[in-house]
Amino acid sequence: GAVVSQHPSWVICKSGTSVKIECRSLDFQATTMFWYRQFPKQSLMLMATSNEGSKATYEQGVEKDKFLINHASLTLSTLTVTSAHPEDSSFYICSARPPGNEQFFGPGTRLTVL
Amino acid sequence: GENVEQHPSTLSVQEGDSAVIKCTYSDSASNYFPWYKQELGKRPQLIIDIRSNVGEKKDQRIAVTLNKTAKHFSLHITETQPEDSAVYFCAASIHTDKLIFGTGTRLQVFP
Protein backbone atom coordinates (compact mmCIF):
# COMPACT_ATOMS: atom_id res chain seq x y z
CA GLY A 1 0.00 0.00 0.00
CA ALA A 2 0.92 3.66 -0.29
CA VAL A 3 3.01 5.18 2.49
CA VAL A 4 2.48 8.57 4.09
CA SER A 5 4.86 9.98 6.68
CA GLN A 6 4.56 12.87 9.10
CA HIS A 7 7.19 14.82 10.95
CA PRO A 8 7.52 15.38 13.80
CA SER A 9 5.62 12.62 15.56
CA TRP A 10 5.26 14.78 18.63
CA VAL A 11 6.10 18.35 19.57
CA ILE A 12 5.86 20.44 22.72
CA CYS A 13 5.96 24.20 22.39
CA LYS A 14 5.33 27.33 24.39
CA SER A 15 2.20 29.38 23.96
CA GLY A 16 2.59 32.00 21.24
CA THR A 17 5.11 30.11 19.13
CA SER A 18 4.52 28.59 15.69
CA VAL A 19 4.85 24.92 14.85
CA LYS A 20 5.29 23.35 11.41
CA ILE A 21 4.15 19.81 10.64
CA GLU A 22 5.21 18.03 7.45
CA CYS A 23 3.24 15.42 5.55
CA ARG A 24 4.95 13.43 2.82
CA SER A 25 3.74 10.81 0.38
CA LEU A 26 6.74 8.52 0.06
CA ASP A 27 5.93 6.34 -2.93
CA PHE A 28 3.31 8.19 -4.91
CA GLN A 29 2.44 11.67 -6.04
CA ALA A 30 -0.52 13.38 -4.43
CA THR A 31 -2.15 16.43 -5.95
CA THR A 32 -4.47 16.50 -2.94
CA MET A 33 -3.72 15.99 0.72
CA PHE A 34 -6.01 16.41 3.69
CA TRP A 35 -5.43 17.64 7.22
CA TYR A 36 -7.48 16.35 10.15
CA ARG A 37 -7.48 17.18 13.83
CA GLN A 38 -8.46 14.79 16.59
CA PHE A 39 -9.01 15.83 20.19
CA PRO A 40 -8.79 13.14 22.91
CA LYS A 41 -11.61 10.60 22.75
CA GLN A 42 -13.18 12.40 19.80
CA SER A 43 -13.49 11.79 16.09
CA LEU A 44 -11.33 13.04 13.27
CA MET A 45 -12.42 16.43 12.03
CA LEU A 46 -11.40 17.59 8.57
CA MET A 47 -9.59 20.91 8.77
CA ALA A 48 -8.64 21.59 5.18
CA THR A 49 -7.90 20.17 1.76
CA SER A 50 -4.41 20.92 0.52
CA ASN A 51 -4.06 21.33 -3.23
CA GLU A 52 -0.70 21.25 -4.95
CA GLY A 53 0.08 24.58 -6.56
CA SER A 54 -3.00 26.38 -5.28
CA LYS A 55 -4.58 27.63 -2.09
CA ALA A 56 -5.92 25.22 0.47
CA THR A 57 -9.65 24.86 1.00
CA TYR A 58 -10.59 25.26 4.64
CA GLU A 59 -13.62 23.76 6.37
CA GLN A 60 -16.11 26.02 8.06
CA GLY A 61 -14.85 27.24 11.42
CA VAL A 62 -11.16 26.63 10.70
CA GLU A 63 -9.10 29.83 10.73
CA LYS A 64 -6.97 29.94 7.61
CA ASP A 65 -4.67 32.59 9.08
CA LYS A 66 -3.97 30.42 12.09
CA PHE A 67 -3.51 27.11 10.27
CA LEU A 68 -1.31 27.85 7.28
CA ILE A 69 -1.14 25.12 4.67
CA ASN A 70 1.42 24.95 1.90
CA HIS A 71 1.40 22.18 -0.70
CA ALA A 72 4.63 23.04 -2.44
CA SER A 73 5.20 19.79 -4.31
CA LEU A 74 3.38 16.62 -5.30
CA THR A 75 4.82 14.81 -2.28
CA LEU A 76 4.84 17.40 0.48
CA SER A 77 2.23 19.41 2.35
CA THR A 78 2.96 21.42 5.47
CA LEU A 79 0.66 22.66 8.21
CA THR A 80 1.87 25.57 10.32
CA VAL A 81 0.02 26.32 13.53
CA THR A 82 0.72 30.00 14.13
CA SER A 83 0.72 31.59 17.57
CA ALA A 84 -0.23 28.29 19.15
CA HIS A 85 -2.26 28.24 22.35
CA PRO A 86 -3.11 25.41 24.75
CA GLU A 87 -6.48 24.89 23.06
CA ASP A 88 -4.60 23.98 19.85
CA SER A 89 -3.14 20.94 21.60
CA SER A 90 -4.37 17.99 19.61
CA PHE A 91 -3.46 15.06 17.38
CA TYR A 92 -2.97 16.30 13.81
CA ILE A 93 -3.22 13.68 11.07
CA CYS A 94 -2.69 14.13 7.36
CA SER A 95 -3.76 11.89 4.53
CA ALA A 96 -2.90 11.63 0.87
CA ARG A 97 -4.73 10.02 -1.97
CA PRO A 98 -3.21 8.45 -5.09
CA PRO A 99 -5.46 9.27 -8.06
CA GLY A 100 -8.63 7.18 -7.97
CA ASN A 101 -7.63 5.48 -4.75
CA GLU A 102 -8.56 5.61 -1.10
CA GLN A 103 -6.87 7.97 1.37
CA PHE A 104 -3.76 6.83 3.18
CA PHE A 105 -3.11 8.36 6.58
CA GLY A 106 0.10 9.56 8.12
CA PRO A 107 1.03 8.40 11.63
CA GLY A 108 -0.09 11.68 13.18
CA THR A 109 1.62 14.46 15.13
CA ARG A 110 0.77 15.06 18.76
CA LEU A 111 1.02 18.77 19.55
CA THR A 112 1.15 19.95 23.14
CA VAL A 113 1.13 23.70 23.77
CA LEU A 114 2.20 24.75 27.24
CA GLY B 1 -22.67 19.61 4.08
CA GLU B 2 -22.40 15.97 4.94
CA ASN B 3 -23.20 14.78 8.46
CA VAL B 4 -22.48 11.25 9.68
CA GLU B 5 -24.01 9.79 12.81
CA GLN B 6 -22.67 6.62 14.41
CA HIS B 7 -24.11 4.27 17.04
CA PRO B 8 -23.45 2.92 19.56
CA SER B 9 -20.68 5.00 21.14
CA THR B 10 -19.50 2.00 23.16
CA LEU B 11 -20.01 -1.70 22.61
CA SER B 12 -18.92 -4.56 24.83
CA VAL B 13 -19.12 -8.14 23.62
CA GLN B 14 -17.89 -11.52 24.68
CA GLU B 15 -15.17 -13.14 22.62
CA GLY B 16 -16.75 -15.11 19.79
CA ASP B 17 -19.90 -12.98 19.66
CA SER B 18 -20.79 -10.66 16.80
CA ALA B 19 -20.61 -6.86 16.87
CA VAL B 20 -22.63 -4.46 14.75
CA ILE B 21 -21.99 -0.73 14.36
CA LYS B 22 -24.39 1.48 12.45
CA CYS B 23 -23.98 4.79 10.65
CA THR B 24 -26.29 7.15 8.83
CA TYR B 25 -25.32 9.90 6.43
CA SER B 26 -27.16 12.94 5.16
CA ASP B 27 -25.75 13.77 1.72
CA SER B 28 -27.22 11.60 -1.01
CA ALA B 29 -24.26 12.53 -3.23
CA SER B 30 -21.88 10.53 -0.98
CA ASN B 31 -20.81 7.36 -2.74
CA TYR B 32 -17.83 6.03 -0.80
CA PHE B 33 -18.13 4.62 2.73
CA PRO B 34 -14.98 3.38 4.48
CA TRP B 35 -14.60 1.94 7.96
CA TYR B 36 -11.49 2.55 10.05
CA LYS B 37 -10.03 0.92 13.13
CA GLN B 38 -7.96 3.16 15.36
CA GLU B 39 -5.84 2.07 18.28
CA LEU B 40 -4.79 4.57 20.92
CA GLY B 41 -2.33 7.12 19.56
CA LYS B 42 -2.17 5.48 16.14
CA ARG B 43 -3.36 6.38 12.68
CA PRO B 44 -6.74 5.11 11.44
CA GLN B 45 -6.46 1.85 9.53
CA LEU B 46 -8.85 1.10 6.70
CA ILE B 47 -10.51 -2.24 7.40
CA ILE B 48 -13.18 -2.31 4.71
CA ASP B 49 -14.95 0.07 2.38
CA ILE B 50 -17.98 0.03 0.13
CA ARG B 51 -19.08 2.10 -2.81
CA SER B 52 -22.63 3.08 -3.59
CA ASN B 53 -23.00 0.67 -6.49
CA VAL B 54 -22.68 -2.29 -4.12
CA GLY B 55 -25.06 -3.35 -1.35
CA GLU B 56 -22.77 -5.62 0.63
CA LYS B 57 -19.11 -6.49 0.88
CA LYS B 58 -17.37 -9.10 2.97
CA ASP B 59 -13.75 -9.75 3.93
CA GLN B 60 -13.29 -12.76 6.20
CA ARG B 61 -14.86 -11.85 9.58
CA ILE B 62 -15.79 -8.33 8.52
CA ALA B 63 -18.72 -7.25 6.39
CA VAL B 64 -20.32 -3.95 5.48
CA THR B 65 -23.85 -3.37 4.23
CA LEU B 66 -25.21 -0.27 2.56
CA ASN B 67 -28.80 0.88 2.18
CA LYS B 68 -28.71 3.90 -0.13
CA THR B 69 -32.41 4.58 0.13
CA ALA B 70 -32.28 4.86 3.90
CA LYS B 71 -28.77 6.33 3.87
CA HIS B 72 -27.59 3.68 6.33
CA PHE B 73 -24.47 1.57 6.36
CA SER B 74 -23.32 -0.93 8.94
CA LEU B 75 -20.19 -2.78 9.99
CA HIS B 76 -20.52 -6.41 11.07
CA ILE B 77 -17.72 -8.24 12.85
CA THR B 78 -18.26 -11.94 13.48
CA GLU B 79 -16.35 -14.24 15.84
CA THR B 80 -14.87 -11.29 17.67
CA GLN B 81 -11.43 -11.60 19.25
CA PRO B 82 -9.75 -9.51 21.98
CA GLU B 83 -7.49 -7.95 19.35
CA ASP B 84 -10.59 -6.47 17.71
CA SER B 85 -10.84 -4.12 20.69
CA ALA B 86 -10.31 -0.57 19.40
CA VAL B 87 -12.23 2.50 18.30
CA TYR B 88 -14.04 2.13 14.99
CA PHE B 89 -15.01 5.05 12.77
CA CYS B 90 -17.30 5.12 9.78
CA ALA B 91 -16.93 7.85 7.18
CA ALA B 92 -18.60 9.12 4.04
CA SER B 93 -17.27 10.98 1.05
CA ILE B 94 -17.77 11.67 -2.61
CA HIS B 95 -15.31 9.76 -4.81
CA THR B 96 -12.82 9.21 -1.92
CA ASP B 97 -12.49 12.98 -1.55
CA LYS B 98 -12.67 14.68 1.84
CA LEU B 99 -13.86 12.25 4.49
CA ILE B 100 -16.54 13.12 7.01
CA PHE B 101 -16.21 10.83 10.00
CA GLY B 102 -18.76 9.46 12.39
CA THR B 103 -18.32 9.97 16.12
CA GLY B 104 -16.70 6.62 16.73
CA THR B 105 -17.52 3.38 18.56
CA ARG B 106 -15.31 1.99 21.29
CA LEU B 107 -15.46 -1.78 20.98
CA GLN B 108 -14.32 -3.95 23.87
CA VAL B 109 -14.09 -7.69 23.41
CA PHE B 110 -13.82 -9.59 26.67
CA PRO B 111 -12.07 -12.98 26.73
Side-chain angles (χ1 to χ4, degrees):
Chain A
V3 180
V4 177
S5 70
Q6 265 182 259
H7 179 81
S9 56
W10 60 269
V11 57
I12 301 173
C13 69
K14 292 183 178 179
S15 186
T17 61
S18 294
V19 174
K20 181 186 283 188
I21 302 170
E22 293 185 349
C23 177
R24 293 182 185 271
S25 55
L26 298 185
D27 52 2
F28 65 96
Q29 293 184 333
T31 55
T32 304
M33 293 184 175
F34 303 90
W35 287 95
Y36 298 85
R37 179 168 56 180
Q38 186 176 32
F39 291 111
K41 296 189 177 181
Q42 293 190 24
S43 185
L44 286 83
M45 298 295 294
L46 178 67
M47 298 176 67
T49 302
S50 173
N51 304 298
E52 188 270 335
S54 65
K55 291 182 179 180
T57 305
Y58 291 81
E59 294 300 302
Q60 193 171 10
V62 178
E63 300 175 58
K64 61 180 180 181
D65 294 332
K66 180 168 183 65
F67 299 100
L68 302 179
I69 292 173
N70 183 22
H71 196 147
S73 76
L74 287 171
T75 59
L76 173 64
S77 175
T78 60
L79 168 68
T80 301
V81 183
T82 62
S83 186
H85 289 99
E87 56 266 31
D88 298 322
S89 298
S90 189
F91 192 48
Y92 291 86
I93 308 175
C94 71
S95 72
R97 180 168 61 95
N101 219 317
E102 80 252 27
Q103 292 186 28
F104 292 88
F105 287 89
T109 297
R110 184 158 303 282
L111 170 63
T112 301
V113 185
L114 302 176
Chain B
E2 177 65 278
N3 182 50
V4 179
E5 295 186 358
Q6 183 172 345
H7 299 281
S9 57
T10 60
L11 180 59
S12 297
V13 299
Q14 206 72 31
E15 181 177 2
D17 287 350
S18 295
V20 180
I21 303 170
K22 298 182 179 182
C23 288
T24 60
Y25 62 99
S26 62
D27 189 349
S28 57
S30 292
N31 57 9
Y32 176 67
F33 307 94
W35 285 89
Y36 295 90
K37 175 183 180 183
Q38 188 182 31
E39 297 177 350
L40 191 62
K42 301 287 182 66
R43 76 186 88 192
Q45 290 180 288
L46 179 69
I47 56 173
I48 196 165
D49 57 13
I50 191 167
R51 297 177 189 266
S52 59
N53 59 346
V54 175
E56 185 174 353
K57 184 176 178 181
K58 189 173 181 180
D59 183 4
Q60 299 183 349
R61 298 187 296 110
I62 296 173
V64 57
T65 58
L66 171 65
N67 181 330
K68 285 191 300 182
T69 303
K71 296 181 190 166
H72 289 173
F73 58 113
S74 300
L75 177 71
H76 304 253
I77 306 175
T78 59
E79 301 172 30
T80 53
Q81 302 166 2
E83 49 266 38
D84 293 330
S85 296
V87 180
Y88 291 80
F89 292 99
C90 63
S93 76
I94 301 173
H95 298 311
T96 72
D97 204 357
K98 57 182 188 179
L99 292 167
I100 304 302
F101 284 83
T103 47
T105 297
R106 183 171 301 277
L107 174 65
Q108 288 184 300
V109 181
F110 293 99

